């Protein structure tokens, strides 16, 4: 029998503990889930059935919520039913306001709006309501500020997320924070800290790899970044944004999928290996033609990865 040194014993115990404590995420499977691609559409219509069919025409099986007010229960029901009939998941309700607005009256107004958006997500059957944590930048609601990486920012964001969730008490929809390069959460480790601190089942993870490419190391080793992010956050992920990033002078610039450096085969494989069906949403493009280019690129990469569309 081998005689174990104290160092060998500690090393083996650490490896075992890490394996037991790490969030479980299945490895790439021979038959992955189909990809639930989605994105904005440009059809000018108020008819939920027409909008749902347009998503299907574009090979989308996930969607951003169409325009509707929380008080319009008839239209909310019509949207939910029409999209379900076409097997299109309503993935995301955006709530893009500054929850850290320094003016108390404006901050309360913003938090009320975020709560209403989460309530709308729950009413329409959407998977998530997403917002950034906010910013202490006095001139730009989502701008950079040194305090956006501080304990003050973290604690205030925890309080805000708890307040929104506890106000709404959603039955199914989750509330999630957008990953950002200049504020928290800026990666999987800071996201895990939020999940632990907020301590609410209705809080989940929203992934945007392009947003956290903020160093040359992450840019050139983005395959490892993708794998690490999904390995650590997999069980909590409810929605994923599909963008890309490229080097520009001494900075990084956002671009459409296919015009940057992200490893899209790995990205798609990780999304479709999650235990839950997870939307993969195009965003931030300007024209139907740009979305067509991005959509076709993602579909081609899904085929390369051996992943069918839903």
């Amino acid at each position: 029998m081998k005689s174990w040194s104290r160092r060998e014993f500690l090393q083996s115990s650490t490896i075992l503990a890490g394996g037991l404590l790490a969030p479980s995420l299945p490895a790439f499977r021979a038959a992955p889930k189909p990809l639930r691609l989605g994105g904005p559409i440009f059809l000018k219509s108020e008819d939920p059935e027409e909008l749902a069919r347009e998503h299907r025409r574009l090979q989308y099986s996930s969607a951003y919520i169409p325009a509707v007010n929380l008080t319009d229960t008839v239209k909310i029901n019509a949207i939910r039913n029409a999209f379900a009939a076409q097997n299109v998941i309503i993935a995301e309700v955006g709530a893009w306001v500054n929850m850290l607005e320094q003016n108390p009256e404006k901050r309360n107004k913003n938090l009320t709006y975020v709560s209403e958006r989460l309530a709308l997500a729950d009413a329409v059957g959407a998977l998530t309501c997403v917002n950034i944590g906010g910013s202490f930048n006095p001139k730009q609601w989502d701008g950079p500020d040194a305090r956006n990486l501080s304990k003050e920012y973290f604690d205030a964001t925890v309080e805000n997320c708890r307040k929104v969730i506890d106000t709404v008490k959603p039955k199914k929809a989750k509330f999630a924070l957008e990953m950002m390069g200049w504020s928290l959460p800026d990666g999987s480790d800071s996201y895990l800290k939020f999940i632990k601190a907020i301590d609410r089942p209705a809080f989940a993870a929203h992934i945007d790899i392009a947003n956290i490419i903020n160093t040359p190391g992450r840019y050139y080793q983005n395959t490892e970044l993708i794998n690490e992010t999904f390995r650590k956050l997999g069980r909590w992920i409810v929605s994923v944004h599909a963008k890309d990033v490229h080097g520009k002078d001494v900075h990084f610039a956002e671009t459409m999928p296919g015009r940057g450096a992200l490893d899209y085969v790995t990205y798609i494989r990780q999304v479709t290996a999650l235990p839950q069906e997870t939307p993969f949403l195009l965003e931030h493009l300007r024209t139907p033609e740009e979305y067509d280019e991005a959509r076709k690129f993602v579909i081609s990469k899904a085929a390369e990865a051996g992943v069918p569309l839903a």
Side-chain angles (χ1 to χ4, degrees), residues 8 16 39 42 51 57 60 65 88 121 156 159 164 183 186 196 198 200 212-213 223 258 262 289 295 300:
E8 288 173 325
L16 176 59
F42 292 81
L51 295 174
R57 185 186 72 81
Y60 290 158
I65 187 172
V88 177
E159 180 181 349
V164 167
S183 60
D186 59 353
K196 181 178 179 180
I198 293 167
R200 297 291 189 275
I212 58 172
I213 300 289
T223 299
L262 283 190
E289 292 75 21
R295 177 173 54 85
S300 73

Side-chain angles (χ1 to χ4, degrees), residues 252-266:
F252 302 101
E254 180 183 310
T255 188
M256 71 168 65
R259 295 190 185 181
L262 283 190
D263 179 356
Y264 256 81
V265 168
T266 296

Side-chain angles (χ1 to χ4, degrees), residues 104-230:
E105 184 177 345
K106 291 181 179 178
R107 182 169 64 251
N108 287 334
K109 182 178 179 181
N110 286 350
L111 287 171
T112 297
Y113 174 76
V114 176
S115 297
E116 290 172 351
R117 297 295 282 176
L118 177 57
L120 177 59
D122 209 40
V124 81
L127 296 182
T128 184
C129 170
V130 62
N131 190 24
I132 69 168
S135 177
F136 287 126
N137 186 303
K139 297 180 180 179
Q140 183 178 343
W141 78 276
D142 59 349
D145 190 287
R147 294 170 293 174
N148 290 355
L149 301 175
S150 68
K151 185 177 185 299
E152 178 187 8
Y153 181 101
F154 181 87
D155 291 344
T157 300
V158 168
E159 180 181 349
N160 286 337
C161 291
R162 285 178 170 178
K163 184 179 296 184
V164 167
I165 291 169
D166 292 346
T167 296
V168 178
K169 298 181 176 62
K171 295 179 175 64
K172 292 185 178 180
K174 307 293 186 181
F175 185 62
L177 293 173
E178 177 88 323
M179 306 174 90
M180 302 289 283
W182 289 85
S183 60
L184 301 173
D186 59 353
S188 55
D189 289 337
S190 56
Y191 219 130
L192 284 172
K193 291 178 181 178
F194 274 120
I195 291 169
K196 181 178 179 180
I198 293 167
D199 191 26
R200 297 291 189 275
F203 185 72
H206 184 284
I207 303 303
D208 191 326
I209 295 296
N211 277 15
I212 58 172
I213 300 289
N214 55 7
T215 68
R218 285 185 170 186
Y219 179 77
Y220 288 115
Q221 298 162 17
N222 69 81
T223 299
E224 290 82 354
L225 178 65
I226 293 167
N227 288 332
E228 176 190 33
T229 300
F230 280 80

Side-chain angles (χ1 to χ4, degrees), residues 280-299:
F280 198 51
L281 299 166
L282 302 168
E283 66 164 356
H284 289 179
L285 304 178
R286 297 168 296 176
T287 66
E289 292 75 21
E290 287 182 340
Y291 276 104
D292 281 344
E293 179 182 334
R295 177 173 54 85
K296 290 174 182 177
F297 171 79
V298 172
I299 291 172

Side-chain angles (χ1 to χ4, degrees), residues 11-122:
Q11 286 176 338
S12 64
S13 299
T14 301
I15 292 170
L16 176 59
L20 291 174
L21 295 174
S24 59
L25 179 64
F28 295 162
R29 294 175 290 205
K33 286 184 172 65
L35 180 66
R36 286 223 171 241
L37 181 60
I41 64 172
F42 292 81
L43 178 68
K44 296 184 183 302
S45 174
E46 295 293 324
D47 183 351
E49 293 185 0
E50 289 183 351
L51 295 174
R53 287 195 297 269
E54 178 67 2
H55 280 80
R56 271 299 171 192
R57 185 186 72 81
L58 294 168
Q59 298 178 282
Y60 290 158
S61 56
S62 295
Y64 295 101
I65 187 172
V68 62
N69 293 321
L70 179 59
T71 55
D72 193 346
T73 55
V74 172
K75 188 173 182 181
I76 288 172
N77 289 334
I79 290 171
R80 185 176 60 242
N81 294 335
F83 279 67
Q86 294 294 327
N87 189 26
V88 177
I89 291 176
I90 301 176
E92 178 182 314
V93 175
W96 307 114
V97 293
N98 190 359
M99 296 193 293
L100 294 173
E101 164 65 48
Q102 294 303 285
N103 180 292
E105 184 177 345
K106 291 181 179 178
R107 182 169 64 251
N108 287 334
K109 182 178 179 181
N110 286 350
L111 287 171
T112 297
Y113 174 76
V114 176
S115 297
E116 290 172 351
R117 297 295 282 176
L118 177 57
L120 177 59
D122 209 40

